Amino acid sequence: MTDNLEELKYPIGRYERPGHYTAELKQEWMNVLEALPKWMDVCIENLDEVQLKTPYRPGGWTVIQVVHHVADSHMNAYVRLKLALTEHDPIIKPYKEALWAQLPDANELPVNISITLLHAMHRRWVHALRCMTPEDWERPYFHPDMERNVPIWEMTAMYAWHSRHHMEHIRQLRERMSW
Ligand code: NI
């Protein structure tokens, strides 16, 4: 992979698992999750049909697929959070995100449908997070592909990264294309 492709694929860098968390970091991650739906509104503002069907990089997802993918991914994340909060080390279900992104609901429907979904779901997600006790942040789920427990604080860091990661795909595409 060329450096250029790496930069297009990972505009804010690859996800790095944080070694620890603080009250400030938790606030920062929750603030990102809270802001994401509004960021998505801004990201797609005034894009026409052709622009929405443009891949964010050569061979990559279209803007439409990126937005629907964020909804797919964060629906799974929300369910994982609820499982971790209510069960003991629940085994979560990985899913094939590339195949999900090819299904008709993830590349034919208007993007605002998924953004509306994100607005509603992130309200619930962030509310659940903000109401958690300090002990809750340590509750894990077991990820079969990673073959280890992932505590809620770490998944929250990961999805804050994921939110910014995909938002930047669209923002930087617009910047490059002067849209
Ligand atoms: Ni993703």
Side-chain angles (χ1 to χ4, degrees):
M1 199 186 301
T2 68
D3 284 349
N4 190 24
L5 185 52
E6 176 77 10
E7 271 169 37
L8 289 173
K9 262 182 125 165
Y10 299 100
I12 61 164
R14 287 176 189 252
Y15 169 67
E16 279 174 35
R17 181 183 171 196
H20 72 292
Y21 65 101
T22 61
E24 291 71 33
L25 282 171
K26 287 193 290 187
Q27 280 305 327
E28 191 186 309
W29 299 331
M30 287 189 288
N31 290 343
V32 169
L33 292 179
E34 191 162 48
L36 172 80
K38 280 171 263 168
W39 290 348
M40 282 292 174
D41 283 332
V42 174
C43 273
I44 58 123
E45 203 169 23
N46 299 323
L47 290 182
D48 62 30
E49 210 44 36
V50 174
Q51 291 167 329
L52 286 165
K53 287 184 176 157
T54 305
Y56 79 91
R57 65 168 171 86
W61 281 333
T62 64
V63 173
I64 295 176
Q65 284 176 303
V66 170
V67 174
H68 290 311
H69 158 72
V70 172
D72 281 349
S73 164
H74 292 196
M75 281 191 280
N76 276 279
Y78 179 61
V79 169
R80 290 170 186 186
L81 170 73
K82 304 272 284 189
L83 289 170
L85 282 172
T86 55
E87 297 180 26
H88 182 75
D89 297 354
I91 300 169
I92 57 96
K93 179 72 184 74
Y95 70 102
K96 304 207 179 299
E97 62 174 29
L99 295 179
W100 281 43
Q102 286 170 23
L103 294 175
D105 67 311
N107 65 61
E108 288 173 5
L109 290 178
V111 283
N112 59 344
I113 289 177
S114 276
I115 297 180
T116 300
L117 187 159
L118 286 167
H119 272 285
M121 190 178 52
H122 277 235
R123 282 277 308 264
R124 291 192 60 176
W125 187 355
V126 174
H127 187 75
L129 289 172
R130 291 204 192 279
C131 293
M132 289 185 344
T133 65
E135 296 75 46
D136 288 339
W137 285 89
E138 301 282 349
R139 294 185 69 98
Y141 57 70
F142 183 82
H143 196 302
D145 289 345
M146 294 163 84
E147 298 182 336
R148 67 176 175 87
N149 274 340
V150 178
I152 289 175
W153 68 266
E154 187 188 327
M155 82 168 284
T156 309
M158 210 275 277
Y159 285 98
W161 171 88
H162 189 253
S163 297
R164 296 177 53 230
H165 169 70
H166 287 299
M167 198 263 302
E168 278 298 303
H169 284 153
I170 303 173
R171 203 190 61 75
Q172 293 194 10
L173 172 70
R174 295 189 70 153
E175 207 171 83
R176 285 198 307 276
M177 307 292 265
S178 305
W179 287 346

